[in-house]
Amino acid sequence: MIEDIKEAMKEKRAVPGIRECIKNIGKIEKIFLSSDARQETEERIKKAIINAKSNANCERLGMGKEDISKKLALNFSCEVFSICQKPLVRGQGDLKGRKDIKKEKTRADKEKKQGEE
């Protein structure tokens, strides 16, 4: 199972953390929980799977989050690792909206400077 996570990390299909797992639940095929994961974490994930009508499988690993981090050579510990069906492209939110906001701030700054002069 650790090998599955390692392979998915190479392919950019691995998602660490419960928030990212729930956020991308429709794109996820496997979810791995550490043996020391909280019961409420497992319940939240199972509820999200049901609500999203997802086909994701949820499994508990036979090791704790610290051991998982060491095996995966990570500098953080995590209770939940998800594997997506396809690689996720991160940081490509609504770029157009962000540019418009930046332009508006720039225009407002220019108008403010002209008003001060």
Side-chain angles (χ1 to χ4, degrees):
M1 291 185 235
I2 292 293
E3 292 80 26
D4 294 339
I5 298 171
K6 279 184 183 179
E7 186 66 30
M9 288 174 76
K10 288 178 187 173
E11 297 171 358
K12 306 233 186 267
R13 296 185 313 128
V15 180
I18 184 170
R19 288 184 185 172
E20 290 297 314
C21 173
I22 291 172
K23 185 171 113 178
N24 296 298
I25 198 72
K27 302 172 188 173
I28 292 174
E29 61 184 28
K30 292 181 186 176
I31 302 167
F32 296 106
L33 299 170
S34 65
S35 63
D36 56 354
R38 294 168 287 172
Q39 185 65 32
E40 63 195 46
T41 300
E42 185 174 9
E43 289 169 5
R44 282 181 65 193
I45 290 172
K46 288 184 177 180
K47 186 176 180 181
I49 290 170
I50 292 168
N51 289 341
K53 298 178 183 169
S54 176
N55 293 326
N57 295 325
C58 188
E59 298 178 36
R60 278 216 183 244
L61 297 172
M63 58 184 83
K65 57 186 171 186
E66 297 296 327
D67 294 333
I68 295 169
S69 294
K70 287 178 186 175
K71 294 230 182 217
L72 296 175
L74 299 173
N75 60 356
F76 61 92
S77 60
C78 186
E79 293 179 324
V80 181
F81 287 92
S82 307
I83 298 178
C84 297
Q85 298 162 354
K86 297 178 183 176
L88 286 179
V89 178
R90 297 177 191 260
Q92 298 216 354
D94 184 16
L95 295 177
K96 183 181 178 208
R98 291 180 188 163
K99 288 179 183 176
D100 291 344
I101 291 170
K102 188 175 182 180
K103 285 180 184 176
E104 287 177 17
K105 287 182 181 177
T106 304
R107 287 183 197 140
D109 290 340
K110 286 181 183 177
E111 290 172 3
K112 185 177 177 182
K113 285 182 182 178
Q114 288 176 354
E116 291 175 359
E117 294 175 353

